[in-house]
Amino acid sequence: MSTIQTSGTEEVHPDVLLVERAKQGDVQAFEKLVRQYDRQVFRIAQHITQNREDAEDVVQDAFLKAYEKLDQFQGNSKFYTWLVRIAVNESLMRLRKRRTGRMVSIDEDVETEDGSMPRDLADWSPDPEAQYSQSEMAEILKKTIQGLPQGFRVVFVLRDVEGLSTEETAESLGLSIPAVKSRLLRARLQLRERLAKYFRKNGKNGGGK
Amino acid sequence: MTCTEFLAQLDELIDDEVTVSLRADLEEHLRECEHCEITLHTTRKTIEIYKSHEIYELPEDVRTRLEQAIMAKCRKC
């Protein structure tokens, strides 16, 4: 049996053990990793490509690529962060194909809108979600986040929705930490601004209706 | 503290990454500035709402199909 070398008392992430087993040809170990992360990969891919079929293809391609490249996974980052990086690249490649070869990068559109100062300063109703049905909410949230420049959207999704740290987000996207921070702030503020029109007190759809 | 200075620290405040003394300054600004109080509260709410609603769900049948396709190819690798 193989052993995993660790330095001192440092705990080994369970993914590292699965990766080691998969590297030695244990397909079931890799299957566990697939089941663990396929939903997240799908969500991230859908946010980038904004296309369901593409997102499904990305899930397949990203895991296959990860499997082929397992030997290159060094274990100095988390398996999940490494996988997200592959998924982001695969998603951008899909976009590129759809846009007939035009280069698509994570930096695209980032400078088009500033939005770093809040303009809508009305408070929201105490329970904004109560005004809408589940499906209406889903529509509002999709429409709102789709309107963000891609470079902001991806940072928000990785940091705030999928729960990666600033460092992991930077690593997954190949961005610097200050770039991630400045995009996150603008993404959060722009989303807030756009949601305000649905959720504010006494707004068009708000109030006691 | 001005509103611009407050906003520059907004993310750190939300993510709870501020020092005790900076937090005290930020809170002092919040007591005097309703606009920043609303911005903080509604930005937190924005994150919370996106976190709690899964807007792109992978249906179980599609998920199974994808997993089977992936594993079939891996076995051939």
Side-chain angles (χ1 to χ4, degrees):
Chain A
M1 232 177 87
S2 71
T3 51
I4 307 300
Q5 291 197 335
T6 56
S7 52
T9 54
E10 207 180 308
E11 275 201 28
V12 184
H13 193 286
D15 288 354
V16 175
L17 298 171
L18 290 172
V19 170
E20 283 305 320
R21 281 170 47 197
K23 274 184 188 174
Q24 287 158 21
D26 181 348
V27 185
Q28 277 177 341
F30 189 70
E31 191 167 14
K32 277 194 182 157
L33 291 166
V34 174
R35 289 198 66 80
Q36 200 148 291
Y37 296 121
D38 53 2
R39 281 177 292 210
Q40 289 94 314
V41 169
F42 174 76
R43 284 198 296 262
I44 293 165
Q46 172 96 49
H47 273 293
I48 298 175
T49 63
Q50 311 225 359
N51 178 288
R52 207 185 165 86
E53 269 173 55
D54 281 349
E56 289 179 16
D57 288 344
V58 168
V59 173
Q60 287 202 53
D61 294 349
F63 279 108
L64 285 172
K65 195 155 266 183
Y67 190 72
E68 283 165 13
K69 298 199 322 188
L70 269 187
D71 276 335
Q72 292 170 33
F73 174 69
Q74 298 298 332
N76 44 13
S77 63
K78 280 190 198 157
F79 173 75
Y80 180 49
T81 313
W82 184 72
L83 177 67
V84 168
R85 181 162 198 159
I86 296 175
V88 168
N89 287 334
E90 290 294 316
S91 302
L92 292 174
M93 252 166 54
R94 290 270 151 194
L95 266 188
R96 214 168 289 158
K97 270 188 200 161
R98 245 175 221 286
R99 298 183 187 178
T100 55
R102 194 160 68 80
M103 272 304 288
V104 177
S105 86
I106 220 72
D107 289 317
E108 196 170 78
D109 301 337
V110 164
E111 304 308 328
T112 54
E113 199 179 343
D114 185 33
S116 52
M117 282 306 282
R119 289 186 302 266
D120 193 322
L121 298 165
D123 201 2
W124 293 3
S125 60
D127 188 4
E129 291 157 89
Q131 299 165 30
Y132 299 96
S133 69
Q134 277 289 339
S135 61
E136 284 172 330
M137 269 303 283
E139 273 316 299
I140 292 169
L141 296 180
K142 267 185 213 170
K143 209 159 64 182
T144 301
I145 200 164
Q146 281 173 357
L148 276 192
Q150 173 167 282
F152 292 178
R153 190 170 65 234
V154 186
V155 168
F156 179 81
V157 168
L158 294 187
R159 260 303 257 100
D160 283 340
V161 182
E162 302 301 336
L164 270 70
S165 69
T166 303
E167 290 72 18
E168 288 165 347
T169 304
E171 197 188 321
S172 300
L173 298 177
L175 291 172
S176 69
I177 287 174
V180 169
K181 285 189 171 176
S182 99
R183 287 179 193 199
L184 182 66
L185 177 64
R186 291 198 279 170
R188 284 172 168 178
L189 288 175
Q190 283 187 28
L191 283 177
R192 186 206 78 92
E193 200 76 36
R194 287 159 195 249
L195 286 184
K197 70 171 187 251
Y198 299 101
F199 294 157
R200 70 169 164 239
K201 252 185 207 167
N202 311 318
K204 203 165 52 178
N205 300 305
K209 281 190 182 175
Chain B
M1 180 180 283
T2 65
C3 294
T4 310
E5 286 165 342
F6 177 86
L7 278 176
Q9 303 295 329
L10 184 71
D11 278 346
E12 279 76 9
L13 185 61
I14 288 174
D15 299 329
D16 205 10
E17 288 168 357
V18 288
T19 60
V20 176
S21 71
L22 180 57
R23 176 180 294 276
D25 291 346
L26 294 167
E27 280 170 0
E28 194 190 319
H29 178 79
L30 283 176
R31 275 192 291 276
E32 295 157 3
C33 182
E34 197 197 350
H35 285 168
C36 284
E37 168 65 42
I38 288 172
T39 302
L40 172 65
H41 159 71
T42 52
T43 306
R44 277 198 172 126
K45 192 78 198 163
T46 298
I47 298 166
E48 209 183 291
I49 288 175
Y50 271 102
K51 243 185 209 162
S52 60
H53 289 79
E54 207 166 287
I55 53 177
Y56 296 126
E57 233 176 308
L58 183 57
E60 223 21 65
D61 55 331
V62 180
R63 192 179 170 213
T64 309
R65 171 168 62 73
L66 290 175
E67 284 167 359
Q68 283 169 352
I70 294 165
M71 296 323 295
K73 284 186 186 158
C74 285
R75 286 194 181 91
K76 277 190 223 152
C77 274

